[in-house]
Amino acid sequence: MNLVLFGPPGAGKGTQAKRLEEAHGITQLSTGEMLRAEVAEGTPVGQRADALMKSGRLVPDDVIVEIVGDRLSREAGRNGFILDGFPRTVPQAEALDRLLASKRLKLDHVVSIEVDDEAMVERITGRFTCANCGAGYHDTFQRPEVEGVCDACGGTEFTRRSDDNEVTVRERLAAYHAETEPVLRHYEAQGLVRKVDGMAGIDEVTRQLEAVIG
Ligand code: ADP
Ligand code: ADP
Ligand code: ZN
């Protein structure tokens, strides 16, 4: 099963992708995580992407498509993948169509996580992750069971992304409306779009997701 999780920053794509990964043995492919790894390693791609990411703007399509192409090659013949944060522009979606066709792969569902913009600012500014295992948390909506201790691995160090601030998230939401929203029409034309209510609680969103892909 090959999926795209679609929605603005803060919609819950990463949270739900990690649950689907566990439940179905399919691989999360997050372009944001790939880019953060490139930045951390100081590669040429990372050096190009760093300032754009810090300001909340999109990284150029050719850079992203090359990274995704490399990763998709390794997914052929496995259980499937969940694209999280890609495609984010219509040219990226068109490039993905070509990439998939060349590898004899296809998408089964594009799940649109429907949310209110204003709520996304609180989601993003309250987000943090376990520094050890990457499990995702939120100051209000998803606190660890034991304060300061990761539920998944027992780690006690947490990190916050430097772009998860109010100014940058507004820039990212603007980029979403201008450049990413039109991608939904690309997939509506292919009959692939399923909608879930992203304003519901995390468990309820998972239930709806399982229902639309099941
Ligand atoms: P995205 O990958 O779409 O940017 P995340 O999955 O990282 O979004 O979620 C953003 C933040 O909101 C995280 O801190 C997460 O714990 C929290 N969150 C995710 N889904 C929900 C939800 N349905 N209700 C409340 N908070 C949520
Ligand atoms: P979020 O989960 O909050 O939506 P991501 O982790 O997906 O954020 O992305 C972080 C940043 O990485 C984006 O603001 C953008 O600069 C860059 N980025 C990630 N994916 C893409 C993409 N497909 N195209 C262009 N830029 C991207
Ligand atoms: Zn952890």
Side-chain angles (χ1 to χ4, degrees):
M1 182 166 50
N2 299 322
L3 308 174
V4 171
L5 286 188
F6 189 87
K13 302 180 297 295
T15 302
Q16 299 298 333
K18 290 202 159 56
R19 289 178 166 207
L20 288 172
E21 190 169 46
E22 281 215 349
H24 299 278
I26 50 183
T27 313
Q28 177 192 15
L29 298 177
S30 157
T31 45
E33 285 182 9
M34 292 173 203
L35 289 169
R36 282 186 288 281
E38 300 271 351
V39 171
E41 288 167 31
T43 65
V45 164
Q47 287 173 22
R48 247 180 109 182
D50 193 24
L52 291 167
M53 293 172 76
K54 282 199 177 102
S55 66
R57 280 173 297 160
L58 295 181
V59 172
D61 290 337
D62 56 331
V63 174
I64 295 289
V65 169
E66 194 178 330
I67 299 182
V68 173
D70 286 349
R71 288 297 302 271
L72 274 181
S73 303
R74 286 182 251 154
E75 297 306 321
R78 299 196 188 165
N79 284 346
F81 54 80
I82 311 152
L83 290 168
D84 161 9
F86 175 88
R88 251 178 163 95
T89 65
V90 171
Q92 288 182 19
E94 291 166 350
L96 177 62
D97 286 345
R98 291 191 293 271
L99 270 173
L100 292 172
S102 75
K103 298 177 200 305
R104 298 181 188 286
L105 294 168
K106 66 175 187 54
L107 295 175
D108 297 293
H109 310 280
V110 173
V111 182
S112 173
I113 306 180
E114 308 269 303
V115 290
D116 304 335
D117 251 43
E118 243 347 271
M120 295 307 101
V121 176
E122 187 183 6
R123 289 251 188 113
I124 290 285
T125 54
R127 170 162 68 182
F128 61 99
T129 54
C130 171
N132 181 48
C133 76
Y137 294 98
H138 190 279
D139 291 328
T140 309
F141 307 124
Q142 200 186 5
R143 303 186 66 87
E145 276 171 40
V146 178
E147 191 63 39
V149 181
C150 175
D151 299 343
C153 77
T156 54
E157 278 186 43
F158 297 88
T159 56
R160 287 177 195 263
R161 280 167 50 181
S162 59
D163 60 337
D164 279 353
N165 60 72
E166 175 151 5
V167 173
T168 308
V169 73
R170 292 200 185 278
E171 194 64 42
R172 286 155 64 196
L173 285 167
Y176 171 80
H177 289 298
E179 298 182 73
T180 307
E181 246 179 350
V183 171
L184 211 52
R185 291 191 279 285
H186 177 89
Y187 288 122
E188 267 162 0
Q190 299 183 9
L192 288 174
V193 177
R194 334 281 179 231
K195 297 189 174 176
V196 298
D197 176 13
M199 296 308 294
I202 295 174
D203 291 342
E204 171 59 19
V205 178
T206 304
R207 269 193 293 278
Q208 290 188 19
L209 237 165
E210 292 288 351
V212 297
I213 67 174

PDB file of all heavy atoms in Angstrom, residues 129-135 137 149-158, ligand 3:
ATOM      1  N   THR A 129       9.953  16.738  20.230  1.00  0.00           N
ATOM      2  CA  THR A 129      10.202  15.318  19.960  1.00  0.00           C
ATOM      3  C   THR A 129      11.289  14.780  20.876  1.00  0.00           C
ATOM      4  O   THR A 129      12.129  15.528  21.371  1.00  0.00           O
ATOM      5  CB  THR A 129      10.659  15.081  18.497  1.00  0.00           C
ATOM      6  OG1 THR A 129      11.776  15.916  18.241  1.00  0.00           O
ATOM      7  CG2 THR A 129       9.581  15.400  17.492  1.00  0.00           C
ATOM      8  N   CYS A 130      11.254  13.484  21.089  1.00  0.00           N
ATOM      9  CA  CYS A 130      12.297  12.807  21.856  1.00  0.00           C
ATOM     10  C   CYS A 130      13.607  12.874  21.058  1.00  0.00           C
ATOM     11  O   CYS A 130      13.637  12.510  19.886  1.00  0.00           O
ATOM     12  CB  CYS A 130      11.902  11.351  22.085  1.00  0.00           C
ATOM     13  SG  CYS A 130      13.229  10.366  22.805  1.00  0.00           S
ATOM     14  N   ALA A 131      14.656  13.336  21.720  1.00  0.00           N
ATOM     15  CA  ALA A 131      15.951  13.468  21.038  1.00  0.00           C
ATOM     16  C   ALA A 131      16.549  12.107  20.715  1.00  0.00           C
ATOM     17  O   ALA A 131      17.336  11.964  19.788  1.00  0.00           O
ATOM     18  CB  ALA A 131      16.917  14.273  21.906  1.00  0.00           C
ATOM     19  N   ASN A 132      16.151  11.081  21.471  1.00  0.00           N
ATOM     20  CA  ASN A 132      16.718   9.752  21.275  1.00  0.00           C
ATOM     21  C   ASN A 132      16.014   8.971  20.164  1.00  0.00           C
ATOM     22  O   ASN A 132      16.658   8.425  19.283  1.00  0.00           O
ATOM     23  CB  ASN A 132      16.670   8.974  22.592  1.00  0.00           C
ATOM     24  CG  ASN A 132      17.267   7.588  22.444  1.00  0.00           C
ATOM     25  OD1 ASN A 132      18.363   7.433  21.892  1.00  0.00           O
ATOM     26  ND2 ASN A 132      16.545   6.577  22.908  1.00  0.00           N
ATOM     27  N   CYS A 133      14.661   8.913  20.204  1.00  0.00           N
ATOM     28  CA  CYS A 133      13.954   8.035  19.252  1.00  0.00           C
ATOM     29  C   CYS A 133      13.063   8.791  18.266  1.00  0.00           C
ATOM     30  O   CYS A 133      12.503   8.177  17.363  1.00  0.00           O
ATOM     31  CB  CYS A 133      13.132   6.985  20.001  1.00  0.00           C
ATOM     32  SG  CYS A 133      11.611   7.610  20.731  1.00  0.00           S
ATOM     33  N   GLY A 134      12.898  10.098  18.445  1.00  0.00           N
ATOM     34  CA  GLY A 134      12.102  10.862  17.489  1.00  0.00           C
ATOM     35  C   GLY A 134      10.601  10.833  17.727  1.00  0.00           C
ATOM     36  O   GLY A 134       9.841  11.406  16.944  1.00  0.00           O
ATOM     37  N   ALA A 135      10.137  10.170  18.808  1.00  0.00           N
ATOM     38  CA  ALA A 135       8.693  10.153  19.103  1.00  0.00           C
ATOM     39  C   ALA A 135       8.192  11.596  19.256  1.00  0.00           C
ATOM     40  O   ALA A 135       8.879  12.440  19.827  1.00  0.00           O
ATOM     41  CB  ALA A 135       8.427   9.358  20.378  1.00  0.00           C
ATOM     42  N   TYR A 137       5.610  14.702  20.416  1.00  0.00           N
ATOM     43  CA  TYR A 137       4.788  15.127  21.565  1.00  0.00           C
ATOM     44  C   TYR A 137       4.264  16.534  21.352  1.00  0.00           C
ATOM     45  O   TYR A 137       4.665  17.235  20.423  1.00  0.00           O
ATOM     46  CB  TYR A 137       5.631  15.093  22.857  1.00  0.00           C
ATOM     47  CG  TYR A 137       6.045  13.692  23.227  1.00  0.00           C
ATOM     48  CD1 TYR A 137       7.306  13.209  22.885  1.00  0.00           C
ATOM     49  CD2 TYR A 137       5.154  12.843  23.874  1.00  0.00           C
ATOM     50  CE1 TYR A 137       7.683  11.917  23.191  1.00  0.00           C
ATOM     51  CE2 TYR A 137       5.520  11.548  24.188  1.00  0.00           C
ATOM     52  CZ  TYR A 137       6.786  11.088  23.848  1.00  0.00           C
ATOM     53  OH  TYR A 137       7.144   9.805  24.144  1.00  0.00           O
ATOM     54  N   VAL A 149       9.775  12.132  30.531  1.00  0.00           N
ATOM     55  CA  VAL A 149      10.305  10.819  30.134  1.00  0.00           C
ATOM     56  C   VAL A 149       9.557  10.334  28.878  1.00  0.00           C
ATOM     57  O   VAL A 149       8.332  10.274  28.866  1.00  0.00           O
ATOM     58  CB  VAL A 149      10.123   9.782  31.269  1.00  0.00           C
ATOM     59  CG1 VAL A 149      10.710   8.435  30.854  1.00  0.00           C
ATOM     60  CG2 VAL A 149      10.776  10.273  32.563  1.00  0.00           C
ATOM     61  N   CYS A 150      10.307   9.968  27.840  1.00  0.00           N
ATOM     62  CA  CYS A 150       9.678   9.513  26.602  1.00  0.00           C
ATOM     63  C   CYS A 150       8.933   8.197  26.817  1.00  0.00           C
ATOM     64  O   CYS A 150       9.506   7.236  27.332  1.00  0.00           O
ATOM     65  CB  CYS A 150      10.742   9.331  25.517  1.00  0.00           C
ATOM     66  SG  CYS A 150      10.095   8.621  23.989  1.00  0.00           S
ATOM     67  N   ASP A 151       7.651   8.143  26.410  1.00  0.00           N
ATOM     68  CA  ASP A 151       6.840   6.923  26.536  1.00  0.00           C
ATOM     69  C   ASP A 151       7.478   5.765  25.769  1.00  0.00           C
ATOM     70  O   ASP A 151       7.401   4.610  26.193  1.00  0.00           O
ATOM     71  CB  ASP A 151       5.442   7.121  25.906  1.00  0.00           C
ATOM     72  CG  ASP A 151       4.647   8.223  26.584  1.00  0.00           C
ATOM     73  OD1 ASP A 151       4.995   8.616  27.714  1.00  0.00           O
ATOM     74  OD2 ASP A 151       3.670   8.693  25.954  1.00  0.00           O
ATOM     75  N   ALA A 152       8.073   6.080  24.615  1.00  0.00           N
ATOM     76  CA  ALA A 152       8.525   5.020  23.711  1.00  0.00           C
ATOM     77  C   ALA A 152       9.862   4.416  24.130  1.00  0.00           C
ATOM     78  O   ALA A 152      10.046   3.210  24.032  1.00  0.00           O
ATOM     79  CB  ALA A 152       8.621   5.570  22.279  1.00  0.00           C
ATOM     80  N   CYS A 153      10.796   5.245  24.609  1.00  0.00           N
ATOM     81  CA  CYS A 153      12.161   4.728  24.829  1.00  0.00           C
ATOM     82  C   CYS A 153      12.728   5.066  26.200  1.00  0.00           C
ATOM     83  O   CYS A 153      13.841   4.644  26.527  1.00  0.00           O
ATOM     84  CB  CYS A 153      13.104   5.235  23.740  1.00  0.00           C
ATOM     85  SG  CYS A 153      13.614   6.946  23.965  1.00  0.00           S
ATOM     86  N   GLY A 154      11.999   5.847  27.002  1.00  0.00           N
ATOM     87  CA  GLY A 154      12.519   6.210  28.321  1.00  0.00           C
ATOM     88  C   GLY A 154      13.521   7.349  28.297  1.00  0.00           C
ATOM     89  O   GLY A 154      14.046   7.750  29.343  1.00  0.00           O
ATOM     90  N   GLY A 155      13.783   7.895  27.109  1.00  0.00           N
ATOM     91  CA  GLY A 155      14.724   9.020  26.980  1.00  0.00           C
ATOM     92  C   GLY A 155      14.235  10.233  27.766  1.00  0.00           C
ATOM     93  O   GLY A 155      13.037  10.398  28.007  1.00  0.00           O
ATOM     94  N   THR A 156      15.180  11.075  28.162  1.00  0.00           N
ATOM     95  CA  THR A 156      14.802  12.249  28.966  1.00  0.00           C
ATOM     96  C   THR A 156      15.222  13.559  28.300  1.00  0.00           C
ATOM     97  O   THR A 156      15.109  14.617  28.893  1.00  0.00           O
ATOM     98  CB  THR A 156      15.444  12.177  30.370  1.00  0.00           C
ATOM     99  OG1 THR A 156      16.849  11.997  30.214  1.00  0.00           O
ATOM    100  CG2 THR A 156      14.859  11.025  31.178  1.00  0.00           C
ATOM    101  N   GLU A 157      15.713  13.460  27.059  1.00  0.00           N
ATOM    102  CA  GLU A 157      16.051  14.695  26.348  1.00  0.00           C
ATOM    103  C   GLU A 157      15.107  14.888  25.177  1.00  0.00           C
ATOM    104  O   GLU A 157      14.785  13.957  24.455  1.00  0.00           O
ATOM    105  CB  GLU A 157      17.497  14.642  25.855  1.00  0.00           C
ATOM    106  CG  GLU A 157      18.465  15.010  26.965  1.00  0.00           C
ATOM    107  CD  GLU A 157      19.878  15.107  26.458  1.00  0.00           C
ATOM    108  OE1 GLU A 157      20.062  15.695  25.371  1.00  0.00           O
ATOM    109  OE2 GLU A 157      20.761  14.582  27.144  1.00  0.00           O
ATOM    110  N   PHE A 158      14.670  16.126  25.027  1.00  0.00           N
ATOM    111  CA  PHE A 158      13.697  16.452  23.991  1.00  0.00           C
ATOM    112  C   PHE A 158      14.218  17.625  23.173  1.00  0.00           C
ATOM    113  O   PHE A 158      15.018  18.411  23.663  1.00  0.00           O
ATOM    114  CB  PHE A 158      12.362  16.790  24.637  1.00  0.00           C
ATOM    115  CG  PHE A 158      11.771  15.620  25.382  1.00  0.00           C
ATOM    116  CD1 PHE A 158      12.093  15.392  26.717  1.00  0.00           C
ATOM    117  CD2 PHE A 158      10.928  14.719  24.739  1.00  0.00           C
ATOM    118  CE1 PHE A 158      11.577  14.294  27.404  1.00  0.00           C
ATOM    119  CE2 PHE A 158      10.414  13.622  25.412  1.00  0.00           C
ATOM    120  CZ  PHE A 158      10.730  13.410  26.742  1.00  0.00           C
TER     121      PHE A 158
HETATM  122 ZN    ZN B   3      12.046   8.319  22.857  1.00  0.00          ZN
END
